[in-house]
């Protein structure tokens, strides 16, 4: 049948797949929020499956900047369901603050936000312990004349909360907050354990009062009651009803607890491998995995970073890319694109498309370096080393690409990009072995080139 001349072209494959995951392929802050926001329009539900308030998504809509930490980025679209899965650690105080902040700006947060009753709760002692451990690791090693050994965590209590989940006896889940009697019982036993741990850690710590915490968190339970549900059944019901689901990865692949640069990682399964455990949805349901990567590399916190540029190039990237943390405000470490790392992450996630972010930031650099291999103890390798001690020994082997000086932020189609910019992108796709589906050339929705 002939296609009518004025027919709307079909959406690119990237937008028409049933269930999609969006996952960061580097050390975080790749700009996942922007792509989630863009894809939200084509999905019915947006789901977080890992991490907690350590994640930071910045989205710019109609010139307005929104920073989200716990609530999925789909909340900006009034008709979408936003789901916080069981794999997330929920700080309910932060979640309510975020909800209020959105409300003040006219964004409704009601039955469009659903939180798993099985997600674990971040409690005050988790933040105390996170902070205390970081201080111990930095202060003690510096006092010994050594380097700072802290992990550079966000101090949001993420690691200690996941530790309690694994310990089991000292964990409290969102569902526990909904029934005051059940909470009181749980809180009594958990507070006793946590107080003993805190006192052993530092006898000067003030301990927690179980009755006061029960009162405070039962009240929070009453405030979040309407959001709490069994999100696993909810998701399966939605999928059976033909609804399209978007999974929003927090943090990023190289920060994965199992596959990242341990111990300089976060405490959850950040890659697409975290989706089944963190939501109860089998991996076979997710056929479209979009790997989000910057056109260069950044990292916050400590840990090896082979292509880091502690020089004018790093500063150029930091200034142009506004590379300061959304969650902590810390300046991010900046460097050249590490394709060995990206290829490893794309392999783990089963990435079906790449989305290249902040491409405009590179304009004006005379040449661009790309790390295509490492040299370790005189031997060349194209394999990533997900252990911090091994990776610290890797020296990047670069290929050099001609830079581009044109202002690509005005481009609206991939075909508009200058030749040198295209060459750089073609190299990424060829090296990683995954086609590029999106190139972002600025913060606004309009500055997104989709293939
Ligand atoms: P935690 O997640 O607060 O325990 O921090 C562990 C490490 O992961 C630190 O180096 C953090 O800076 C890093 N991290 C955690 N979440 C993010 C993120 O969303 N973007 C970038 N780095 C992150």
């Amino acid at each position: 049948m002939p296609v009518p001349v004025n027919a709307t072209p079909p959406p690119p494959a990237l937008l028409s797949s049933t269930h999609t995951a969006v996952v960061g392929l580097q050390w975080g802050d790749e700009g996942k929020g922007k792509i989630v926001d863009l894809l939200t329009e084509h999905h019915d539900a947006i789901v977080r499956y890992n991490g907690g308030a350590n994640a930071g998504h910045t989205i710019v809509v109609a010139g307005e900047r929104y920073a989200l930490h716990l609530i999925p980025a789909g909340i900006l679209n009034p008709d979408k369901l936003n789901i916080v899965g069981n794999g997330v650690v929920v700080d309910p105080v932060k979640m309510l603050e975020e909800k209020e902040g959105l409300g003040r700006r006219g964004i409704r947060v009601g039955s469009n936000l659903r939180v798993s009753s099985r997600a674990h709760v971040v409690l005050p002692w988790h933040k105390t312990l996170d902070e205390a451990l970081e201080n111990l690791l930095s202060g003690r090693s510096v006092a010994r004349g050594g380097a700072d050994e802290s992990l550079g965590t966000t101090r949001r209590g993420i690691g200690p909360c996941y530790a309690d989940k694994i310990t089991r006896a000292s964990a409290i889940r969102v569902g526990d907050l909904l029934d005051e009697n059940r909470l009181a019982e749980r809180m009594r036993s958990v507070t006793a354990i946590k107080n003993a741990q805190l006192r052993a850690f530092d006898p000067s710590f003030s301990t927690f009062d179980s009755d006061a915490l029960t009162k405070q968190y039962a009240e929070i339970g009453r405030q979040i009651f309407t959001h709490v549900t069994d999100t696993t059944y909810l998701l399966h019901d939605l999928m059976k009803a033909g609804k399209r689901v978007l999974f929003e990865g927090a943090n990023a692949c190289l920060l994965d607890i199992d596959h990242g640069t341990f111990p300089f990682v976060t405490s959850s399964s950040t890659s697409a491998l975290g989706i089944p455990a963190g939501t109860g949805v089998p991996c076979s349901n997710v056929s479209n995995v979009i790997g989000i990567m910057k056109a260069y590399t950044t990292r916050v916190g400590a840990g090896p970073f082979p292509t880091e540029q502690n020089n004018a190039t790093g500063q150029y990237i930091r200034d142009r890319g506004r590379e300061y943390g959304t969650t902590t405000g810390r300046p991010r470490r900046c460097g050249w694109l590490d394709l060995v790392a990206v290829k490893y992450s794309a392999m783990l996630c089963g990435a079906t498309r790449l989305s290249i972010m902040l491409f405009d930031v590179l304009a004006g650099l005379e040449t661009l370096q790309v790390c295509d291999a490492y040299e370790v103890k005189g031997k060349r390798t194209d394999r990533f080393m997900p252990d911090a001690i091994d990776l610290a020994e890797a020296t990047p082997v670069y290929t050099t690409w001609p830079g581009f000086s044109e202002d690509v932020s005005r481009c609206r189609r991939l075909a508009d990009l200058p030749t040198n910019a295209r060459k750089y992108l073609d190299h990424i796709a060829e090296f990683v072995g995954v086609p590029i589906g999106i190139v972002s050339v600025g913060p606004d929705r309009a500055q997104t080139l989709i293939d």
Side-chain angles (χ1 to χ4, degrees):
M1 201 172 38
V3 179
V5 178
N6 291 328
T8 315
L14 182 111
L15 303 179
S16 61
S17 178
T18 312
H19 308 303
T20 296
V22 169
V23 186
L25 298 183
Q26 295 161 313
W27 277 290
D29 315 305
E30 293 91 351
K32 297 176 288 287
K34 178 179 173 179
I35 301 306
V36 169
D37 179 48
L38 183 101
L39 295 175
T40 292
E41 214 182 297
H42 305 270
H43 293 81
D44 301 291
I46 293 77
V47 186
R48 277 272 310 263
Y49 59 87
N50 75 294
N54 54 349
H57 285 174
T58 309
I59 303 154
V60 179
V61 184
E64 285 266 325
R65 221 178 168 77
Y66 297 90
L68 297 168
H69 298 285
L70 252 177
I71 297 182
I75 204 75
L76 301 180
N77 193 320
D79 310 322
K80 309 297 171 180
L81 201 51
N82 293 273
I83 299 175
V84 176
N86 59 278
V88 175
V89 285
V90 174
D91 180 340
V93 177
K94 280 255 164 285
M95 198 177 79
L96 285 170
E97 274 171 21
E98 211 161 285
K99 177 178 164 173
E100 274 168 36
L102 286 165
R104 278 196 298 274
R105 296 172 78 180
I107 313 276
R108 186 182 70 91
V109 184
S111 57
N112 55 345
L113 174 66
R114 312 307 283 276
V115 180
S116 169
S117 53
R118 297 201 299 274
H120 283 249
V121 180
V122 177
L123 288 151
W125 45 66
H126 294 132
K127 285 184 254 184
T128 306
L129 279 167
D130 199 355
E131 178 114 35
L133 198 57
E134 283 290 272
N135 290 343
L136 181 81
L137 285 168
S138 57
R140 203 163 70 180
S141 34
V142 171
R144 277 197 257 112
D148 181 343
E149 286 170 9
S150 60
L151 302 178
T153 73
T154 59
R155 302 186 178 211
R156 297 277 163 111
I158 306 297
C161 184
Y162 277 115
D164 279 337
K165 172 178 177 173
I166 302 302
T167 307
R168 295 152 297 163
S170 47
I172 290 187
R173 307 203 289 184
V174 169
D176 296 326
L177 307 184
L178 305 187
D179 174 337
E180 190 156 353
N181 292 332
R182 170 171 155 180
L183 179 64
E185 209 175 293
R186 208 66 221 121
M187 200 59 101
R188 249 191 309 279
S189 111
V190 175
T191 308
I193 298 172
K194 299 318 287 186
N195 281 343
Q197 285 177 346
L198 284 165
R199 272 194 301 265
F201 197 91
D202 183 342
S204 72
F205 273 142
S206 45
T207 49
F208 288 93
D209 177 61
S210 127
D211 290 343
L213 280 177
T214 299
K215 235 172 134 215
Q216 183 190 350
Y217 279 83
E219 175 50 32
I220 288 173
R222 284 188 280 276
Q223 289 180 44
I224 64 169
F225 179 77
T226 51
H227 300 296
V228 181
T229 191
D230 181 325
T231 53
T232 300
Y233 271 115
L234 171 64
L235 277 164
H236 281 271
D237 288 346
L238 286 170
M239 291 185 296
K240 264 188 232 146
K243 303 290 183 195
R244 299 175 66 195
V245 179
L246 179 63
F247 297 88
E248 172 187 356
N251 324 120
C253 249
L254 301 178
L255 293 170
D256 187 277
I257 185 72
D258 288 292
H259 303 285
T261 49
F262 194 88
F264 300 102
V265 291
T266 188
S267 301
S268 67
S269 292
T270 56
S271 80
L273 300 169
I275 295 172
T279 63
V281 172
C283 40
S284 52
N285 283 33
V286 187
S287 53
N288 192 26
V289 180
I290 305 181
I292 315 288
M293 56 180 282
K294 285 179 183 171
Y296 47 89
T297 314
T298 63
R299 179 162 203 172
V300 278
F305 178 0
T307 61
E308 182 170 16
Q309 298 298 300
N310 244 326
N311 53 26
T313 304
Q315 193 56 44
Y316 184 86
I317 293 173
R318 186 173 304 112
D319 290 342
R320 283 181 57 87
R322 297 213 267 168
E323 293 294 358
Y324 296 88
T326 322
T327 304
T328 59
R330 288 179 287 181
R332 296 182 185 135
R333 300 157 66 193
C334 298
W336 295 120
L337 180 57
D338 184 341
L339 279 186
V340 178
V342 168
K343 189 172 182 174
Y344 166 76
S345 297
M347 171 183 84
L348 281 180
C349 290
T352 50
R353 284 282 190 287
L354 298 177
S355 178
I356 315 292
M357 311 305 290
L358 292 128
F359 191 49
D360 54 304
V361 170
L362 294 182
L365 287 164
E366 206 165 305
T367 54
L368 304 171
Q369 311 256 72
V370 177
C371 171
D372 287 352
Y374 299 139
E375 206 174 276
V376 185
K377 297 190 175 102
K379 283 207 178 110
R380 204 180 154 120
T381 176
D382 60 0
R383 296 209 163 190
F384 187 68
M385 286 156 288
D387 181 287
I389 295 173
D390 297 336
L391 189 63
E393 296 197 357
T395 308
V397 179
Y398 290 112
T399 48
T400 302
W401 298 82
F404 52 93
S405 54
E406 295 88 343
D407 177 11
V408 293
S409 68
R410 291 171 192 279
C411 294
R412 291 295 174 267
R413 295 173 313 153
L414 287 175
D416 298 339
L417 290 170
T419 311
N420 285 349
R422 294 293 307 220
K423 280 188 184 155
Y424 187 79
L425 294 173
D426 288 347
H427 176 64
I428 294 173
E430 195 184 322
F431 187 94
V432 180
V434 177
I436 292 173
I438 299 175
V439 177
S440 174
V441 293
D444 218 90
R445 264 188 208 178
Q447 294 170 302
T448 318
L449 323 181
I450 304 180
D451 198 7

